[in-house]
Amino acid sequence: MTEGPRFHTLTELLDHAVARDGYIVHEGQTISYAQLRDRSQRVAAGLAAAGLRRGDHVGLSMPNSPDWLVMFFACARLGVAVMILNTRLAVSELSDLLVRSDAKGLIWQGEAQPRLSLSPQDAQVMSQLRLIATPAGGADVDGVASAAVTPFDALLAHPPRLAADAQPDDPVLLFSTSGSTGKSKLVLHCQRGIAGHASQVVQAMGLDAPGTVHFMPLPLAGAYGLVQTMVMIASGCKLVMPAGFNPAQSADLIREHGVTQLFLFDDAIAQILKAVGPQPQHPFPTVRWCAYGIFNPELKDFVASTEARGIRLVGLYGLSETQAFFVCERPGDPVELRTRTGGFTVSPQASFRIRDTETGQLLGPGQLGEIELKGPSVMLRYYGNTPAQAQMLDDGFFRTGDSGQIGPDGSLVFNSRIDDVLRLSGFLVTTGEIESVIAQAPEVEACVVVGIRVAQGNRPVAFVKPKAGAAIDPARLLAFCAERLAKYKLPIGFHAVDKFPVGGSLNAPKVDKKALREQAARLHPH
């Protein structure tokens, strides 16, 4: 591992990439980091001419492309914070986020809808923006005066703005992250946090070695996709970034470009391997390892089957509030250690601790409690959400709402969301422990367990997806579990489902356990 620079702003990060002569491959086209910087300098001048200033916020809604990065680095140069927007948002959702983020402008390129057709209320929101930038000008936006709309080409026509206005502690981006109730929370990060974290991930994981080739098919509008892209640019190496995720295309690109590292999630990896087929046994010989997150509960034996195909898996853990890769496992460790969800901090300044949610006491190794994180990659704050700010503690630690423990080797081991840890008959039990037993039943394809409050106290309820052609017999499943679980861990109900409800995610569908808990409560009233 080489000792590299620690960047304080995104302009410094991009300057370093230029010096390394790296470049991006996108849909068969190549753009060097020098070209990316030049275009971002020109757009920065155009945005400044349109009235955007340091401290302003602007919405960014574009599909993956080098132009997305041009706009992001242009705003970062000016000290303008970007509200990153999913291109699939409804117009009303888009307007809501623009209002709540105090955006002065919108950089928009349609994906799901080629025209931005506005209701009167949405048009009023848009008319208050200082700038709306689109590929083709006013024709793409209905209900807004064309004078308020600037084509991208007009921004690019400006001479480069070489000076960088941003300071290290200036806000640089806002992520929208869902909460358990109500509207999404807006996570605000600063320049130093994003740029510095990217450089530390590069150093901790040795990602700047000669010949390194990265692959990034995930949405830039998601925390996992955006953070890893900043890491990849910070490495100064070759970055292969398609417009979106397609399993067969991904396999072709990995082989064509000799990709050396992957940062994906379990379902995407499984889809790529399925697209490749059973032969060859080791389809990607250039891939050194693949950092992954767990999203799909229906994937059985994922680690064993993936490792058997020659892909060395490495676990990690992070959140929008702390950025992805807050901790990562070590690629050289044995499989049972490096495939855990968790790992060691990538920053020497970062730390974690575990707290008992009932007593408030800090816990030692091997004891399950709430994960609290502190470090330079942690967000500045939740923007405009005072109640949620209580998750930031006075000593700088962030309460994650996740359960975990400190491993015997001093690593952080993630277990589940706090809501997935049940206190049953006075004992802490994870839903995953019960799920793993039910999943062993021959008729079960997948299982999700949630906890509800009934007259007898907290009790688990199981939702079960049967294998093709099989039927779910609750009495038989109860007997099956009774042979393998303590009585207090037994679900009070087994309910067959064709599929699990999922919540919105830019990276992969996640099981909506809140919806399942509500359904369980209806099925098992007090």
Side-chain angles (χ1 to χ4, degrees):
M1 181 179 68
T2 58
E3 182 67 21
R6 282 181 166 79
F7 310 119
H8 299 94
T9 66
L10 284 166
T11 296
E12 290 180 9
L13 183 153
L14 185 55
D15 286 345
H16 172 74
V18 170
R20 288 289 305 271
D21 294 326
Y23 60 96
I24 298 171
V25 178
H26 175 77
E27 300 300 308
Q29 303 296 313
T30 296
I31 177 172
S32 69
Y33 290 131
Q35 292 172 310
L36 177 61
R37 181 176 66 179
D38 176 74
R39 289 169 66 86
S40 68
Q41 289 171 340
R42 294 176 183 276
V43 169
L47 295 176
L52 292 182
R53 297 289 183 269
R54 178 185 171 207
D56 285 343
H57 296 175
V58 64
L60 175 59
S61 178
M62 296 174 63
N64 279 20
S65 70
D67 280 344
W68 193 106
L69 295 171
V70 166
M71 295 301 165
F72 183 64
F73 280 106
C75 291
R77 178 172 289 273
L78 293 177
V80 172
V82 171
M83 174 72 242
I84 297 177
L85 301 163
N86 185 347
T87 57
R88 295 180 179 141
L89 291 174
V91 175
S92 59
E93 295 174 301
L94 183 77
S95 296
D96 175 67
L97 288 172
L98 291 172
V99 169
R100 290 201 287 127
S101 64
D102 293 318
K104 299 295 193 297
L106 170 65
I107 300 167
W108 178 83
Q109 180 179 348
E111 183 179 40
Q113 44 187 353
R115 295 175 67 85
L116 198 56
S117 299
L118 308 176
S119 68
Q121 180 179 352
D122 295 323
Q124 183 177 2
V125 171
M126 299 298 178
S127 67
Q128 296 170 354
L129 301 180
R130 192 176 300 162
L131 166 80
I132 300 176
T134 71
D140 290 279
V141 182
D142 294 331
V144 174
S146 60
V149 181
T150 302
F152 283 174
D153 288 347
L155 297 175
L156 286 168
H158 288 261
R161 184 184 179 95
L162 302 181
D165 300 338
Q167 298 300 308
D169 293 324
D170 285 350
V172 68
L173 69 83
L174 297 100
F175 287 124
S176 174
T177 182
S178 60
S180 56
T181 59
K183 290 186 175 181
S184 59
K185 295 177 286 189
L186 304 185
V187 178
L188 184 66
H189 285 280
C190 70
Q191 294 256 352
R192 189 197 308 271
I194 299 295
H197 181 60
S199 67
Q200 290 187 320
V201 173
V202 170
Q203 293 168 56
M205 305 191 79
L207 298 177
D208 56 353
T212 297
V213 181
H214 300 293
F215 177 65
M216 210 301 289
L218 303 182
L220 285 165
Y224 195 17
L226 186 279
V227 172
Q228 68 171 279
T229 301
M230 293 302 104
V231 169
M232 294 169 179
I233 295 176
S235 77
C237 296
K238 178 179 175 180
L239 167 59
V240 180
M241 185 181 72
F245 176 70
N246 175 283
Q249 181 198 37
S250 295
D252 290 341
L253 290 172
I254 292 168
R255 289 184 288 208
E256 176 186 350
H257 294 281
V259 169
T260 60
Q261 271 89 32
L262 301 172
F263 299 130
L264 293 171
F265 48 88
D266 54 359
D267 197 51
I269 299 167
Q271 289 182 54
I272 292 171
L273 290 174
K274 182 178 180 181
V276 170
Q279 297 297 329
Q281 178 64 28
H282 296 168
F284 308 120
T286 61
V287 173
R288 300 166 188 163
W289 48 264
C290 175
Y292 77 108
I294 299 174
F295 285 80
N296 187 347
E298 299 183 30
L299 290 176
K300 291 186 176 181
D301 303 319
F302 170 75
V303 169
S305 61
T306 303
E307 293 259 336
R309 301 298 302 275
I311 297 180
R312 191 176 187 84
L313 294 173
V314 178
L316 50 82
Y317 172 74
L319 308 94
S320 296
E321 291 88 344
T322 68
Q323 301 185 55
F325 318 107
F326 186 89
V327 297
C328 295
E329 296 291 356
R330 298 178 292 211
D333 278 354
V335 62
E336 65 273 10
L337 296 180
R338 58 176 164 79
T339 55
R340 298 174 300 185
T341 300
F344 302 86
T345 57
V346 301
S347 170
Q349 293 82 41
S351 58
F352 53 81
R353 64 193 184 192
I354 308 296
R355 188 181 298 278
D356 188 297
T357 56
E358 294 190 354
T359 68
Q361 298 297 308
L362 294 179
L363 302 175
Q367 295 179 285
L368 196 64
E370 183 174 12
I371 299 171
E372 297 179 355
L373 305 176
K374 181 179 182 179
S377 69
V378 174
M379 67 176 182
L380 290 174
R381 62 184 181 278
Y382 287 119
Y383 188 77
N385 191 327
T386 302
Q389 199 59 32
Q391 286 182 252
M392 287 295 299
L393 304 177
D394 291 340
D395 59 358
F397 276 86
F398 170 71
R399 295 175 53 235
T400 64
D402 290 338
S403 71
Q405 58 190 300
I406 300 171
D409 55 0
S411 65
L412 174 64
V413 181
F414 167 81
N415 186 279
S416 65
R417 290 294 296 171
I418 287 291
D419 289 343
D420 296 333
V421 178
L422 312 178
R423 186 169 288 278
L424 306 174
S425 299
F427 299 97
L428 288 178
V429 179
T430 66
T431 56
E433 178 184 353
I434 304 172
E435 290 166 352
S436 65
V437 170
I438 298 173
Q440 296 172 26
E443 67 269 38
V444 174
E445 176 67 28
C447 172
V448 176
V449 171
V450 297
I452 60 170
R453 186 78 179 177
V454 295
Q456 296 80 18
N458 293 326
R459 299 300 301 274
V461 176
F463 291 89
V464 183
K465 181 179 178 181
K467 289 182 178 178
I472 297 301
D473 181 345
R476 205 207 78 79
L477 274 181
L478 180 61
F480 180 88
C481 292
E483 295 177 356
R484 296 163 176 84
L485 288 171
K487 185 175 181 179
Y488 67 88
K489 298 179 185 178
L490 296 177
I492 59 174
F494 297 85
H495 304 283
V497 296
D498 294 329
K499 59 182 179 179
F500 300 113
V502 296
S505 169
L506 286 173
N507 294 319
K510 295 182 181 180
V511 174
D512 186 348
K513 290 200 170 184
K514 180 175 182 289
L516 288 179
R517 280 191 291 271
E518 292 173 349
Q519 184 177 348
R522 292 192 297 270
L523 293 168
H524 301 274
H526 274 66

